[in-house]
């Protein structure tokens, strides 16, 4: 936790130095690149830990048991080594996909690879949290469960995507109207509301995705899905 707080506090300074070097046409130093990578990994790891705690709570709730967040965080703490490995692995894999797409320019191919990656990893966190397996075993298990639940996985993802897209489009329309009003007060007020709305949508999407993912995991395991680890 201390390391995470230090990195969070130093992130603006690090970003400022990188920005200044970019303005002079210079690439980041090795230390700056390493610092940025460490910050990104820390953010990814924290996201994985708290998402895993949410999935643990949802799994218990669907099983008829109410657990406080502290209990889920303590239970998730036993999975931290695997969660750290998963965070690093997913961060590197995502970076490689984006880099490959920008260099090769084969957007369709990399979109298919991205879809395959999403299918492979959709159940990784529920498997880690519930079954306590290592990273490689969790990836294999996630792929098997993903194949079993492909149809519902796609349908749920489309619903979340369409809902988010409608909110984003509505927010853009409101911002355009605020800009055309020629009122600085209206523009700032609208911008504040839109930012708050985006944060709310992000939180709701995260919670909805966690609930949906956990319910699909339980269904795949208990109603004819692949068994065994």
């Amino acid at each position: 936790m201390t390391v995470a707080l230090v990195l969070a506090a130093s992130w603006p300074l690090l970003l400022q130095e990188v920005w200044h070097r970019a303005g002079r046409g210079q690439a980041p130093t090795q230390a700056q690149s390493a610092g940025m990578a460490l910050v990104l990994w820390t953010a990814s790891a924290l996201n994985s830990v708290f998402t895993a705690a949410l999935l643990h709570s949802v799994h218990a709730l669907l099983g008829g048991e109410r657990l406080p967040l502290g209990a889920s965080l303590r239970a998730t703490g036993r999975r931290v080594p695997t969660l750290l490995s998963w965070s690093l692995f997913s961060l590197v894999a995502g970076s490689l996909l984006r880099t490959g797409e920008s260099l090769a320019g084969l957007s369709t191919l990399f979109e298919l690879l991205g879809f395959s990656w999403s299918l492979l990893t959709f159940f990784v966190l529920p498997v880690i949290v519930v079954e306590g397996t290592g990273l490689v075993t969790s990836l294999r298990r996630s792929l098997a469960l993903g194949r079993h639940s492909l149809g519902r996985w796609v349908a749920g993802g489309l619903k979340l995507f369409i809902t988010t897209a409608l909110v984003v489009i509505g927010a853009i329309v409101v911002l355009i109207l605020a800009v055309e009003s020629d009122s600085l007060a209206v523009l700032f007020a609208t911008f504040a509301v839109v930012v708050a709305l985006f944060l709310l949508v992000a939180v709701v999407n995260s919670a909805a995705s966690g609930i949906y993912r956990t319910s699909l995991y339980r269904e795949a395991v208990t109603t004819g899905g692949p068994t065994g680890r």
Side-chain angles (χ1 to χ4, degrees), residues 41-42 44-53 55 72-73 75-91 124-130 133-135 138:
W41 181 32
T42 302
S44 176
L46 289 174
N47 178 67
S48 294
V49 169
F50 283 104
T51 302
L55 297 182
S72 292
L73 285 173
T76 304
R78 295 191 291 270
R79 314 288 192 231
V80 164
T82 305
L83 291 172
L84 291 178
S85 301
W86 159 244
S87 299
L88 180 60
F89 181 74
S90 61
L91 189 62
V124 166
L125 285 180
V127 171
I128 292 175
V129 170
V130 177
T133 53
L135 179 58
S138 297

Side-chain angles (χ1 to χ4, degrees), residues 95-161:
S95 299
L96 289 176
L97 282 174
R98 287 189 294 270
T99 301
E101 182 176 1
S102 62
L103 293 177
L106 302 174
S107 58
T108 302
L109 172 62
F110 281 93
E111 285 175 2
L112 290 175
L113 288 175
F115 177 82
S116 301
W117 169 254
S118 300
L119 177 61
L120 170 64
T121 61
F122 186 72
F123 290 113
V124 166
L125 285 180
V127 171
I128 292 175
V129 170
V130 177
E131 302 182 13
T133 53
L135 179 58
V136 176
T137 303
S138 297
L139 285 168
R140 292 174 179 169
R141 179 85 164 129
S142 175
L143 177 59
L145 293 171
R147 288 171 177 167
H148 177 75
S149 305
L150 178 60
R152 294 199 60 191
W153 174 76
V154 172
L158 284 176
K159 289 178 182 178
L160 286 176
F161 174 78

Side-chain angles (χ1 to χ4, degrees), residues 56-82:
H56 184 274
S57 296
V58 172
H59 180 72
L61 186 62
L62 293 176
E65 181 181 5
R66 291 181 176 271
L67 290 178
L69 180 59
S72 292
L73 285 173
R74 287 191 294 271
T76 304
R78 295 191 291 270
R79 314 288 192 231
V80 164
T82 305

Side-chain angles (χ1 to χ4, degrees), residues 198-215:
F198 280 171
L199 291 175
L200 178 62
V201 169
V203 172
V204 172
N205 267 357
S206 178
S209 176
I211 294 171
Y212 186 69
R213 190 186 319 187
T214 307
S215 63

Side-chain angles (χ1 to χ4, degrees), residues 170-214:
I172 292 174
V173 171
V174 171
L175 277 176
I176 292 175
L177 293 176
V179 170
E180 292 182 347
S181 70
D182 292 327
S183 171
L184 192 59
V186 171
L187 179 60
F188 275 111
T190 303
F191 182 76
V193 171
V194 168
V195 170
L197 179 62
F198 280 171
L199 291 175
L200 178 62
V201 169
V203 172
V204 172
N205 267 357
S206 178
S209 176
I211 294 171
Y212 186 69
R213 190 186 319 187
T214 307

